[in-house]
């Protein structure tokens, strides 16, 4: 069954990493990175295989419905995100609770959830645009000077919190929260620059 297929693949990857972890010296970063990259490729292969099975109309299996596939895909993406942090650090994760392992798991998990939330924001904004919602009005006097990801954050904030709040005096704070919730420091910087620039212009006009 599907659960057995996934479990067997993950067990194989776990054994693969543990075997290579014990046989690799601590200073052999290039070899460690190679092993982690190969484990990442195995996960990607499993993920793509599950998607292919789910899209096969000839297979009648409740475990292969789109919802379950999204759940499996998200779980694999989370593992891949943690492995990606391991690749960056050149460290093979273990089952122990060392500071390094905890940091890798935390960083990888935060990166996964940030990416997932950024995708959610993009989906909400695109669906609002397709439904005919006047998103340009919600981000009016707004989008100028913002990079695309920051513009999406502002529009999303207007949708969930209201354009009155976004365009109000403290409207920059919820935008910064959502930008950082996406792990997008560049978007947050763009929002701050746009806000400080508009504030300076308003002060000059008032003077």
């Amino acid at each position: 069954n599907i659960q057995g297929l996934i479990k067997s693949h993950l067990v194989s990857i776990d054994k693969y990493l543990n075997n290579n972890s014990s046989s690799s010296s601590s200073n052999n970063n290039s070899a460690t990175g190679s092993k982690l990259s190969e484990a990442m490729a195995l996960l990607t292969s499993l993920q793509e295989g599950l998607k292919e099975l789910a899209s096969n109309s000839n297979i009648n299996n409740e475990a292969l419905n789109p919802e379950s596939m999204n759940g499996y895909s998200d779980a694999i993406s989370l593992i891949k995100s943690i492995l990606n942090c391991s690749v960056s650090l050149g460290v093979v994760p273990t089952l122990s609770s060392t500071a390094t392992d905890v940091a890798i798991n935390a960083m990888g998990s935060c990166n996964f959830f940030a990416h997932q939330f950024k995708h959610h924001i993009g989906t909400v904004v695109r669906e609002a645009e397709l439904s005919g919602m006047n998103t340009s009005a919600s981000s009016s006097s707004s989008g100028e000077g913002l990079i695309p990801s920051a513009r999406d954050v502002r529009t999303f904030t207007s949708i969930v919190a209201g354009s009155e709040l976004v365009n109000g005096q403290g409207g920059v704070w919820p935008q910064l929260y959502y930008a950082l919730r996406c792990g997008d420091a560049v978007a947050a910087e763009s929002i701050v620059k746009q806000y400080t620039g508009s504030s300076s212009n308003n002060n000059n006009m008032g003077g």
Side-chain angles (χ1 to χ4, degrees):
N1 55 31
I2 298 304
Q3 291 85 352
L5 171 67
I6 294 173
K7 182 178 180 180
S8 64
H9 274 72
L10 295 181
V11 168
S12 297
I13 293 170
D14 181 60
K15 289 181 178 179
Y16 177 82
L17 287 174
N18 287 331
N19 290 339
N20 285 285
S21 176
S22 60
S23 62
S24 299
S25 60
S26 59
N27 60 352
N28 195 358
N29 291 332
S30 60
T32 299
S34 176
K35 302 304 181 184
L36 289 169
S37 297
E38 290 174 13
M40 183 80 77
L42 290 173
L43 283 170
T44 300
S45 177
L46 172 59
Q47 192 172 30
E48 293 176 350
L50 289 172
K51 289 181 179 179
E52 183 178 348
L53 284 173
S55 62
N56 190 338
S57 58
N58 295 324
I59 297 179
N60 184 16
N61 190 324
E62 293 182 359
L64 288 175
N65 62 71
E67 289 186 4
S68 64
M69 285 302 99
N70 285 335
Y72 289 135
S73 181
D74 286 345
I76 294 173
S77 293
L78 173 58
I79 298 173
K80 287 170 65 177
S81 182
I82 294 173
L83 273 181
N84 193 47
C85 285
S86 300
V87 172
S88 300
L89 298 174
V91 177
V92 174
T94 67
L95 296 178
S96 60
S97 298
T98 65
T100 300
D101 287 308
V102 171
I104 289 173
N105 291 333
M107 289 171 60
S109 298
C110 286
N111 183 65
F112 165 75
F113 289 116
H115 178 78
Q116 193 178 50
F117 191 72
K118 188 172 185 176
H119 176 73
H120 170 67
I121 284 182
T123 299
V124 169
V125 172
R126 300 292 90 76
E127 288 181 349
E129 293 171 346
L130 291 173
S131 67
M133 181 181 292
N134 191 1
T135 55
S136 60
S138 66
S139 57
S140 62
S141 71
S142 63
E144 298 179 0
L146 292 177
I147 63 175
S149 58
R151 195 176 301 115
D152 277 354
V153 167
R154 182 179 178 90
T155 302
F156 175 82
T157 309
S158 297
I159 292 172
V160 299
S163 57
E164 296 82 4
L165 173 64
V166 173
N167 295 321
Q169 186 174 4
V172 67
W173 295 111
Q175 295 177 70
L176 284 178
Y177 167 77
Y178 286 126
L180 295 176
R181 175 68 179 78
C182 293
D184 195 338
V186 177
E189 181 183 20
S190 178
I191 291 169
V192 170
K193 287 182 177 179
Q194 190 270 349
Y195 175 76
T196 54
S198 62
S199 297
S200 299
N201 291 336
N202 291 335
N203 290 335
N204 292 335
M205 292 176 64

